[in-house]
Amino acid sequence: MTGNFIDTYRYQFKKVKNNWKESISLITTEFGQIRMLDTLGEKPVILNVPDGPNVIEHHQELITKLSKRFRVICFEFPGIGFSYPNSNYDYSFPNASKLIINLMDILKIEKAALAFSCSNGFYAIKAAELFPLRINRLFLSQTSSLNSMSKWTENAIPKILKFPVIGQIANIFSEKKFAKIWYKYALPKHADTSKYQNEALNALNNGGCFCLSSLVQGLSKEVNSTLKVLEIPATLIWGSKDFTHKNTDKQSIMQHLPNCEIIEFDNCGHFPELEDTDKYVSLINERMEL
């Protein structure tokens, strides 16, 4: 049992204070309305998602720099930002994968590279496993094996959020507090966290969601799932100054991606794609030419 029905009910009555840029819109999918930014054009496509409590606005610099060579579609998964989850979405690998393909079908995209991070990386791997003809490359950040992520969750996520219903209720009262303190541990020591915090809190204060409890409960059911991709090229970028992952074995991703290339960003924390955007974009440019 998960308590995600509480989030579904709660956000039926939520009012969005829409002060977004014109390039940001909502698109209706099988799993609810998804908030996205699409740079459009005929260039190769990269799908990119924020790792909550980050939202699209956190990725603006990354999107701008990637868009010089790619059509970038940055979207918020249900339960993050302004993508409110509906009753069809349970945070499972199959449904998250179907959402990715559903979005691609709606936008008439035949193939795309996926640039996902942390737990969202599992959704990317599963999409590549289930729909190998639709995904041509994986770029992951801070994604370990399922077993390693389970251990990380034990230490990093408050215990109360792991209990169905109780967790969702507690999430309502703790999401802003968690958004404030998360960046202190996720970013390198002495890093300026204010920009990250302000963007996250601005989203939450204007109707955004951060359904961490439902995400954790959904992923906990997948810990023994089969997850392996052999043929699709994959790169893992690992921020070595991420305190929350100080005991995580980055090599563990090889359980799911035996041929994965692993590259460390020595001066980055949990968001290497945002902390050293130039290096990250340069890496993507190089790998996409191969």
PDB file of all heavy atoms in Angstrom, residues 14-40:
ATOM      1  N   LYS A  14      -5.747  22.390  -5.625  1.00  0.00           N
ATOM      2  CA  LYS A  14      -4.640  23.342  -5.554  1.00  0.00           C
ATOM      3  C   LYS A  14      -4.749  24.369  -6.676  1.00  0.00           C
ATOM      4  O   LYS A  14      -5.030  24.024  -7.829  1.00  0.00           O
ATOM      5  CB  LYS A  14      -3.310  22.591  -5.688  1.00  0.00           C
ATOM      6  CG  LYS A  14      -2.101  23.395  -5.254  1.00  0.00           C
ATOM      7  CD  LYS A  14      -1.934  23.356  -3.762  1.00  0.00           C
ATOM      8  CE  LYS A  14      -0.586  23.930  -3.340  1.00  0.00           C
ATOM      9  NZ  LYS A  14      -0.389  23.924  -1.895  1.00  0.00           N
ATOM     10  N   LYS A  15      -4.528  25.618  -6.356  1.00  0.00           N
ATOM     11  CA  LYS A  15      -4.566  26.675  -7.349  1.00  0.00           C
ATOM     12  C   LYS A  15      -3.143  27.112  -7.698  1.00  0.00           C
ATOM     13  O   LYS A  15      -2.355  27.439  -6.819  1.00  0.00           O
ATOM     14  CB  LYS A  15      -5.364  27.883  -6.838  1.00  0.00           C
ATOM     15  CG  LYS A  15      -6.856  27.599  -6.671  1.00  0.00           C
ATOM     16  CD  LYS A  15      -7.609  28.853  -6.247  1.00  0.00           C
ATOM     17  CE  LYS A  15      -9.100  28.567  -6.121  1.00  0.00           C
ATOM     18  NZ  LYS A  15      -9.849  29.781  -5.694  1.00  0.00           N
ATOM     19  N   VAL A  16      -2.829  27.079  -8.976  1.00  0.00           N
ATOM     20  CA  VAL A  16      -1.499  27.456  -9.446  1.00  0.00           C
ATOM     21  C   VAL A  16      -1.435  28.964  -9.649  1.00  0.00           C
ATOM     22  O   VAL A  16      -2.302  29.554 -10.285  1.00  0.00           O
ATOM     23  CB  VAL A  16      -1.167  26.745 -10.774  1.00  0.00           C
ATOM     24  CG1 VAL A  16       0.171  27.218 -11.308  1.00  0.00           C
ATOM     25  CG2 VAL A  16      -1.153  25.236 -10.566  1.00  0.00           C
ATOM     26  N   LYS A  17      -0.403  29.578  -9.101  1.00  0.00           N
ATOM     27  CA  LYS A  17      -0.139  30.989  -9.370  1.00  0.00           C
ATOM     28  C   LYS A  17       0.850  31.035 -10.531  1.00  0.00           C
ATOM     29  O   LYS A  17       2.055  30.919 -10.346  1.00  0.00           O
ATOM     30  CB  LYS A  17       0.437  31.674  -8.121  1.00  0.00           C
ATOM     31  CG  LYS A  17      -0.513  31.688  -6.934  1.00  0.00           C
ATOM     32  CD  LYS A  17       0.132  32.346  -5.720  1.00  0.00           C
ATOM     33  CE  LYS A  17      -0.785  32.321  -4.517  1.00  0.00           C
ATOM     34  NZ  LYS A  17      -0.149  32.913  -3.310  1.00  0.00           N
ATOM     35  N   ASN A  18       0.314  31.191 -11.725  1.00  0.00           N
ATOM     36  CA  ASN A  18       1.131  31.044 -12.932  1.00  0.00           C
ATOM     37  C   ASN A  18       1.814  32.356 -13.296  1.00  0.00           C
ATOM     38  O   ASN A  18       1.210  33.267 -13.845  1.00  0.00           O
ATOM     39  CB  ASN A  18       0.253  30.575 -14.090  1.00  0.00           C
ATOM     40  CG  ASN A  18       1.053  30.276 -15.341  1.00  0.00           C
ATOM     41  OD1 ASN A  18       2.183  30.719 -15.469  1.00  0.00           O
ATOM     42  ND2 ASN A  18       0.483  29.541 -16.255  1.00  0.00           N
ATOM     43  N   ASN A  19       3.109  32.425 -12.978  1.00  0.00           N
ATOM     44  CA  ASN A  19       3.934  33.558 -13.419  1.00  0.00           C
ATOM     45  C   ASN A  19       5.118  33.035 -14.215  1.00  0.00           C
ATOM     46  O   ASN A  19       6.213  33.563 -14.161  1.00  0.00           O
ATOM     47  CB  ASN A  19       4.415  34.385 -12.215  1.00  0.00           C
ATOM     48  CG  ASN A  19       5.172  33.542 -11.189  1.00  0.00           C
ATOM     49  OD1 ASN A  19       5.288  32.331 -11.354  1.00  0.00           O
ATOM     50  ND2 ASN A  19       5.679  34.187 -10.145  1.00  0.00           N
ATOM     51  N   TRP A  20       4.869  31.947 -14.971  1.00  0.00           N
ATOM     52  CA  TRP A  20       5.930  31.288 -15.721  1.00  0.00           C
ATOM     53  C   TRP A  20       6.301  32.054 -16.982  1.00  0.00           C
ATOM     54  O   TRP A  20       5.534  32.875 -17.485  1.00  0.00           O
ATOM     55  CB  TRP A  20       5.494  29.877 -16.142  1.00  0.00           C
ATOM     56  CG  TRP A  20       4.891  29.065 -15.051  1.00  0.00           C
ATOM     57  CD1 TRP A  20       5.094  29.189 -13.706  1.00  0.00           C
ATOM     58  CD2 TRP A  20       3.960  27.976 -15.214  1.00  0.00           C
ATOM     59  NE1 TRP A  20       4.376  28.244 -13.017  1.00  0.00           N
ATOM     60  CE2 TRP A  20       3.672  27.492 -13.907  1.00  0.00           C
ATOM     61  CE3 TRP A  20       3.368  27.364 -16.310  1.00  0.00           C
ATOM     62  CZ2 TRP A  20       2.789  26.424 -13.698  1.00  0.00           C
ATOM     63  CZ3 TRP A  20       2.508  26.304 -16.105  1.00  0.00           C
ATOM     64  CH2 TRP A  20       2.218  25.836 -14.810  1.00  0.00           C
ATOM     65  N   LYS A  21       7.467  31.717 -17.507  1.00  0.00           N
ATOM     66  CA  LYS A  21       7.865  32.244 -18.803  1.00  0.00           C
ATOM     67  C   LYS A  21       6.968  31.664 -19.896  1.00  0.00           C
ATOM     68  O   LYS A  21       6.391  30.585 -19.733  1.00  0.00           O
ATOM     69  CB  LYS A  21       9.327  31.890 -19.087  1.00  0.00           C
ATOM     70  CG  LYS A  21      10.320  32.577 -18.156  1.00  0.00           C
ATOM     71  CD  LYS A  21      11.752  32.238 -18.552  1.00  0.00           C
ATOM     72  CE  LYS A  21      12.741  32.970 -17.666  1.00  0.00           C
ATOM     73  NZ  LYS A  21      14.149  32.680 -18.045  1.00  0.00           N
ATOM     74  N   GLU A  22       6.876  32.366 -21.008  1.00  0.00           N
ATOM     75  CA  GLU A  22       6.002  31.929 -22.097  1.00  0.00           C
ATOM     76  C   GLU A  22       6.400  30.572 -22.661  1.00  0.00           C
ATOM     77  O   GLU A  22       5.571  29.843 -23.205  1.00  0.00           O
ATOM     78  CB  GLU A  22       6.015  32.968 -23.227  1.00  0.00           C
ATOM     79  CG  GLU A  22       5.327  34.279 -22.859  1.00  0.00           C
ATOM     80  CD  GLU A  22       5.291  35.250 -24.023  1.00  0.00           C
ATOM     81  OE1 GLU A  22       5.730  34.849 -25.129  1.00  0.00           O
ATOM     82  OE2 GLU A  22       4.835  36.381 -23.831  1.00  0.00           O
ATOM     83  N   SER A  23       7.666  30.208 -22.536  1.00  0.00           N
ATOM     84  CA  SER A  23       8.142  28.936 -23.086  1.00  0.00           C
ATOM     85  C   SER A  23       7.737  27.729 -22.244  1.00  0.00           C
ATOM     86  O   SER A  23       7.907  26.588 -22.658  1.00  0.00           O
ATOM     87  CB  SER A  23       9.676  28.966 -23.214  1.00  0.00           C
ATOM     88  OG  SER A  23      10.277  29.276 -21.968  1.00  0.00           O
ATOM     89  N   ILE A  24       7.177  27.979 -21.055  1.00  0.00           N
ATOM     90  CA  ILE A  24       6.767  26.906 -20.160  1.00  0.00           C
ATOM     91  C   ILE A  24       5.263  26.707 -20.253  1.00  0.00           C
ATOM     92  O   ILE A  24       4.500  27.674 -20.227  1.00  0.00           O
ATOM     93  CB  ILE A  24       7.183  27.201 -18.708  1.00  0.00           C
ATOM     94  CG1 ILE A  24       8.711  27.302 -18.596  1.00  0.00           C
ATOM     95  CG2 ILE A  24       6.651  26.140 -17.754  1.00  0.00           C
ATOM     96  CD1 ILE A  24       9.208  27.682 -17.217  1.00  0.00           C
ATOM     97  N   SER A  25       4.840  25.455 -20.359  1.00  0.00           N
ATOM     98  CA  SER A  25       3.414  25.169 -20.511  1.00  0.00           C
ATOM     99  C   SER A  25       3.057  23.849 -19.851  1.00  0.00           C
ATOM    100  O   SER A  25       3.929  23.115 -19.370  1.00  0.00           O
ATOM    101  CB  SER A  25       3.050  25.122 -21.999  1.00  0.00           C
ATOM    102  OG  SER A  25       3.759  24.076 -22.646  1.00  0.00           O
ATOM    103  N   LEU A  26       1.763  23.541 -19.827  1.00  0.00           N
ATOM    104  CA  LEU A  26       1.271  22.261 -19.328  1.00  0.00           C
ATOM    105  C   LEU A  26       0.795  21.421 -20.502  1.00  0.00           C
ATOM    106  O   LEU A  26       0.149  21.917 -21.414  1.00  0.00           O
ATOM    107  CB  LEU A  26       0.106  22.475 -18.355  1.00  0.00           C
ATOM    108  CG  LEU A  26       0.434  23.133 -17.015  1.00  0.00           C
ATOM    109  CD1 LEU A  26      -0.847  23.432 -16.247  1.00  0.00           C
ATOM    110  CD2 LEU A  26       1.344  22.237 -16.168  1.00  0.00           C
ATOM    111  N   ILE A  27       1.134  20.129 -20.472  1.00  0.00           N
ATOM    112  CA  ILE A  27       0.702  19.214 -21.514  1.00  0.00           C
ATOM    113  C   ILE A  27      -0.028  18.049 -20.844  1.00  0.00           C
ATOM    114  O   ILE A  27       0.418  17.529 -19.816  1.00  0.00           O
ATOM    115  CB  ILE A  27       1.896  18.721 -22.354  1.00  0.00           C
ATOM    116  CG1 ILE A  27       1.429  17.846 -23.513  1.00  0.00           C
ATOM    117  CG2 ILE A  27       2.917  17.995 -21.496  1.00  0.00           C
ATOM    118  CD1 ILE A  27       2.525  17.543 -24.522  1.00  0.00           C
ATOM    119  N   THR A  28      -1.164  17.666 -21.381  1.00  0.00           N
ATOM    120  CA  THR A  28      -1.991  16.625 -20.780  1.00  0.00           C
ATOM    121  C   THR A  28      -1.524  15.241 -21.218  1.00  0.00           C
ATOM    122  O   THR A  28      -1.427  14.951 -22.411  1.00  0.00           O
ATOM    123  CB  THR A  28      -3.467  16.809 -21.160  1.00  0.00           C
ATOM    124  OG1 THR A  28      -3.909  18.100 -20.707  1.00  0.00           O
ATOM    125  CG2 THR A  28      -4.335  15.741 -20.503  1.00  0.00           C
ATOM    126  N   THR A  29      -1.224  14.390 -20.241  1.00  0.00           N
ATOM    127  CA  THR A  29      -0.784  13.015 -20.497  1.00  0.00           C
ATOM    128  C   THR A  29      -1.719  12.044 -19.769  1.00  0.00           C
ATOM    129  O   THR A  29      -2.652  12.462 -19.073  1.00  0.00           O
ATOM    130  CB  THR A  29       0.651  12.791 -19.993  1.00  0.00           C
ATOM    131  OG1 THR A  29       0.647  12.744 -18.548  1.00  0.00           O
ATOM    132  CG2 THR A  29       1.578  13.905 -20.455  1.00  0.00           C
ATOM    133  N   GLU A  30      -1.428  10.755 -19.907  1.00  0.00           N
ATOM    134  CA  GLU A  30      -2.216   9.730 -19.208  1.00  0.00           C
ATOM    135  C   GLU A  30      -2.089   9.859 -17.694  1.00  0.00           C
ATOM    136  O   GLU A  30      -2.943   9.361 -16.950  1.00  0.00           O
ATOM    137  CB  GLU A  30      -1.748   8.336 -19.618  1.00  0.00           C
ATOM    138  CG  GLU A  30      -1.967   7.987 -21.071  1.00  0.00           C
ATOM    139  CD  GLU A  30      -1.395   6.618 -21.408  1.00  0.00           C
ATOM    140  OE1 GLU A  30      -1.192   5.817 -20.464  1.00  0.00           O
ATOM    141  OE2 GLU A  30      -1.137   6.355 -22.599  1.00  0.00           O
ATOM    142  N   PHE A  31      -1.039  10.505 -17.238  1.00  0.00           N
ATOM    143  CA  PHE A  31      -0.751  10.544 -15.807  1.00  0.00           C
ATOM    144  C   PHE A  31      -0.914  11.943 -15.209  1.00  0.00           C
ATOM    145  O   PHE A  31      -0.378  12.234 -14.151  1.00  0.00           O
ATOM    146  CB  PHE A  31       0.660  10.015 -15.566  1.00  0.00           C
ATOM    147  CG  PHE A  31       0.854   8.625 -16.082  1.00  0.00           C
ATOM    148  CD1 PHE A  31       1.456   8.405 -17.312  1.00  0.00           C
ATOM    149  CD2 PHE A  31       0.403   7.534 -15.364  1.00  0.00           C
ATOM    150  CE1 PHE A  31       1.627   7.112 -17.800  1.00  0.00           C
ATOM    151  CE2 PHE A  31       0.567   6.243 -15.848  1.00  0.00           C
ATOM    152  CZ  PHE A  31       1.173   6.024 -17.069  1.00  0.00           C
ATOM    153  N   GLY A  32      -1.657  12.784 -15.895  1.00  0.00           N
ATOM    154  CA  GLY A  32      -1.895  14.130 -15.413  1.00  0.00           C
ATOM    155  C   GLY A  32      -1.251  15.173 -16.305  1.00  0.00           C
ATOM    156  O   GLY A  32      -0.590  14.851 -17.297  1.00  0.00           O
ATOM    157  N   GLN A  33      -1.445  16.422 -15.944  1.00  0.00           N
ATOM    158  CA  GLN A  33      -0.832  17.511 -16.698  1.00  0.00           C
ATOM    159  C   GLN A  33       0.628  17.658 -16.284  1.00  0.00           C
ATOM    160  O   GLN A  33       0.941  17.743 -15.097  1.00  0.00           O
ATOM    161  CB  GLN A  33      -1.592  18.813 -16.462  1.00  0.00           C
ATOM    162  CG  GLN A  33      -2.952  18.852 -17.151  1.00  0.00           C
ATOM    163  CD  GLN A  33      -3.514  20.255 -17.188  1.00  0.00           C
ATOM    164  OE1 GLN A  33      -3.509  20.974 -16.196  1.00  0.00           O
ATOM    165  NE2 GLN A  33      -4.009  20.649 -18.349  1.00  0.00           N
ATOM    166  N   ILE A  34       1.481  17.681 -17.282  1.00  0.00           N
ATOM    167  CA  ILE A  34       2.923  17.755 -17.048  1.00  0.00           C
ATOM    168  C   ILE A  34       3.437  19.123 -17.453  1.00  0.00           C
ATOM    169  O   ILE A  34       3.176  19.596 -18.561  1.00  0.00           O
ATOM    170  CB  ILE A  34       3.658  16.654 -17.844  1.00  0.00           C
ATOM    171  CG1 ILE A  34       3.167  15.268 -17.440  1.00  0.00           C
ATOM    172  CG2 ILE A  34       5.168  16.781 -17.662  1.00  0.00           C
ATOM    173  CD1 ILE A  34       3.370  14.932 -15.986  1.00  0.00           C
ATOM    174  N   ARG A  35       4.170  19.737 -16.552  1.00  0.00           N
ATOM    175  CA  ARG A  35       4.752  21.045 -16.839  1.00  0.00           C
ATOM    176  C   ARG A  35       6.070  20.848 -17.582  1.00  0.00           C
ATOM    177  O   ARG A  35       6.922  20.072 -17.155  1.00  0.00           O
ATOM    178  CB  ARG A  35       4.998  21.805 -15.548  1.00  0.00           C
ATOM    179  CG  ARG A  35       5.525  23.234 -15.724  1.00  0.00           C
ATOM    180  CD  ARG A  35       5.673  23.868 -14.360  1.00  0.00           C
ATOM    181  NE  ARG A  35       6.046  25.259 -14.413  1.00  0.00           N
ATOM    182  CZ  ARG A  35       7.184  25.760 -13.903  1.00  0.00           C
ATOM    183  NH1 ARG A  35       8.062  24.958 -13.332  1.00  0.00           N
ATOM    184  NH2 ARG A  35       7.437  27.049 -13.961  1.00  0.00           N
ATOM    185  N   MET A  36       6.227  21.577 -18.689  1.00  0.00           N
ATOM    186  CA  MET A  36       7.431  21.364 -19.490  1.00  0.00           C
ATOM    187  C   MET A  36       7.867  22.643 -20.191  1.00  0.00           C
ATOM    188  O   MET A  36       7.099  23.587 -20.371  1.00  0.00           O
ATOM    189  CB  MET A  36       7.198  20.280 -20.529  1.00  0.00           C
ATOM    190  CG  MET A  36       6.263  20.685 -21.635  1.00  0.00           C
ATOM    191  SD  MET A  36       6.337  19.547 -23.040  1.00  0.00           S
ATOM    192  CE  MET A  36       5.545  20.556 -24.310  1.00  0.00           C
ATOM    193  N   LEU A  37       9.129  22.636 -20.580  1.00  0.00           N
ATOM    194  CA  LEU A  37       9.700  23.676 -21.436  1.00  0.00           C
ATOM    195  C   LEU A  37      10.277  22.969 -22.649  1.00  0.00           C
ATOM    196  O   LEU A  37      11.089  22.048 -22.506  1.00  0.00           O
ATOM    197  CB  LEU A  37      10.775  24.459 -20.697  1.00  0.00           C
ATOM    198  CG  LEU A  37      11.374  25.682 -21.403  1.00  0.00           C
ATOM    199  CD1 LEU A  37      11.986  26.640 -20.376  1.00  0.00           C
ATOM    200  CD2 LEU A  37      12.443  25.314 -22.433  1.00  0.00           C
ATOM    201  N   ASP A  38       9.874  23.381 -23.837  1.00  0.00           N
ATOM    202  CA  ASP A  38      10.312  22.770 -25.082  1.00  0.00           C
ATOM    203  C   ASP A  38      10.974  23.842 -25.942  1.00  0.00           C
ATOM    204  O   ASP A  38      10.341  24.836 -26.303  1.00  0.00           O
ATOM    205  CB  ASP A  38       9.105  22.169 -25.815  1.00  0.00           C
ATOM    206  CG  ASP A  38       9.481  21.397 -27.072  1.00  0.00           C
ATOM    207  OD1 ASP A  38      10.655  21.417 -27.457  1.00  0.00           O
ATOM    208  OD2 ASP A  38       8.580  20.770 -27.659  1.00  0.00           O
ATOM    209  N   THR A  39      12.260  23.654 -26.264  1.00  0.00           N
ATOM    210  CA  THR A  39      12.964  24.652 -27.071  1.00  0.00           C
ATOM    211  C   THR A  39      12.629  24.521 -28.559  1.00  0.00           C
ATOM    212  O   THR A  39      13.060  25.359 -29.357  1.00  0.00           O
ATOM    213  CB  THR A  39      14.491  24.557 -26.874  1.00  0.00           C
ATOM    214  OG1 THR A  39      14.953  23.261 -27.299  1.00  0.00           O
ATOM    215  CG2 THR A  39      14.853  24.770 -25.409  1.00  0.00           C
ATOM    216  N   LEU A  40      11.928  23.448 -28.927  1.00  0.00           N
ATOM    217  CA  LEU A  40      11.429  23.230 -30.297  1.00  0.00           C
ATOM    218  C   LEU A  40      12.581  23.079 -31.296  1.00  0.00           C
ATOM    219  O   LEU A  40      13.747  23.087 -30.948  1.00  0.00           O
ATOM    220  CB  LEU A  40      10.477  24.354 -30.703  1.00  0.00           C
ATOM    221  CG  LEU A  40       9.263  24.562 -29.791  1.00  0.00           C
ATOM    222  CD1 LEU A  40       8.485  25.804 -30.213  1.00  0.00           C
ATOM    223  CD2 LEU A  40       8.371  23.327 -29.802  1.00  0.00           C
TER     224      LEU A  40
END
